[in-house]
Amino acid sequence: MFFGDPYRFAIFVECIPDWNPPDTAFYNGFFYYSINGNFFPQDVRTATLCVDVNTLLDPAHALSTPSLNADVYAMPAPEAFNSLYSLTWPESRAEEEYPEGSNLYRAETENISESGVSVFAVSDGLMVRVLAAKTQRLVPKEQGDRYEWVAERKLTVAEACLPKSELSAILQRIQDYYSSLSR
């Protein structure tokens, strides 16, 4: 079921009953973000809904409590995405090999991040801007049957802006839907 407008911003959550053993609290199904008609993740994946929904609804999650940064909010999409990416995963430097990043703007859930996608949310106080791009892909290693993550060379950033009240309504509808699964 879509919560929101998939041509602007929506979250698709659907429990698939045939994928779940009877009397379980682990609901399997689909979990996607749709940003301007682009789906994240971009491939078909089974989501453990208790993980993704609980992550999304956590008060510390960037969509539940968007952080204010008017300067980044006003930047062009690629620049804003790169700025938030650098705040979240700063490059190591000579004086600090493992710098600590900030999770304030991270807006993905496990199902989305495990597909190599990074999603960020930033607010100007009234609106929330959601930015997403596939930043990594899994490729086979040259020798053997192993895989490794490699950085995408060119990022295509999808973005959507919506009022905070609209985003809150989407999250409330997801919470209501998820609560209805256990009845």
Side-chain angles (χ1 to χ4, degrees), residues 13 25 36 50 68 82 85 87 108 125-126 155 160 166:
V13 182
N36 281 341
C50 64
L68 182 67
N82 288 334
Y85 191 91
L87 286 169
E108 68 264 4
L126 298 173
L155 300 183
E166 184 179 342

Side-chain angles (χ1 to χ4, degrees), residues 15-16 20 24-29 47-50 178 181-183:
C15 179
I16 308 298
N20 299 290
T24 184
F26 291 95
Y27 302 108
N28 293 308
T48 304
L49 298 180
C50 64
Y178 185 70
L181 295 176
S182 61
R183 292 184 202 146

Side-chain angles (χ1 to χ4, degrees), residues 1-166:
M1 174 180 304
F2 279 105
F3 299 94
D5 176 357
Y7 296 102
R8 285 181 45 242
F9 177 79
I11 301 174
F12 180 78
V13 182
E14 188 68 39
C15 179
I16 308 298
D18 289 346
W19 296 356
N20 299 290
D23 301 322
T24 184
F26 291 95
Y27 302 108
N28 293 308
F30 294 117
F31 188 97
Y32 291 84
Y33 290 169
S34 178
I35 302 171
N36 281 341
N38 299 292
F39 284 88
F40 299 96
Q42 297 168 328
D43 56 351
V44 177
R45 291 177 171 266
T46 301
T48 304
L49 298 180
C50 64
V51 174
D52 288 286
V53 171
N54 286 324
T55 296
L56 175 69
L57 299 176
D58 186 311
H61 191 269
L63 291 179
S64 293
T65 310
S67 292
L68 182 67
N69 190 326
D71 292 336
V72 173
Y73 185 92
M75 291 177 181
E79 189 178 332
F81 184 89
N82 288 334
S83 178
L84 295 171
Y85 191 91
S86 294
L87 286 169
T88 305
W89 294 287
E91 297 275 333
S92 59
R93 302 179 310 265
E95 62 274 4
E96 190 174 9
E97 186 176 359
Y98 300 106
E100 190 169 327
S102 170
N103 287 323
L104 286 176
Y105 303 99
R106 283 188 74 186
E108 68 264 4
T109 65
E110 286 77 0
N111 191 50
I112 294 169
S113 66
E114 289 172 358
S115 70
V117 172
S118 294
V119 184
F120 302 105
V122 61
S123 177
D124 70 351
L126 298 173
M127 302 286 287
V128 178
R129 187 177 186 194
V130 182
L131 302 130
K134 185 159 180 73
T135 55
Q136 298 180 332
R137 60 189 160 89
L138 199 56
V139 298
K141 285 190 168 189
E142 288 186 26
Q143 297 175 355
D145 58 352
R146 297 179 186 254
Y147 290 80
E148 65 183 336
W149 288 101
V150 296
E152 289 288 354
R153 295 180 202 269
K154 184 174 180 345
L155 300 183
T156 301
V157 179
E159 69 170 321
C161 296
L162 61 158
K164 286 174 74 172
S165 59
E166 184 179 342

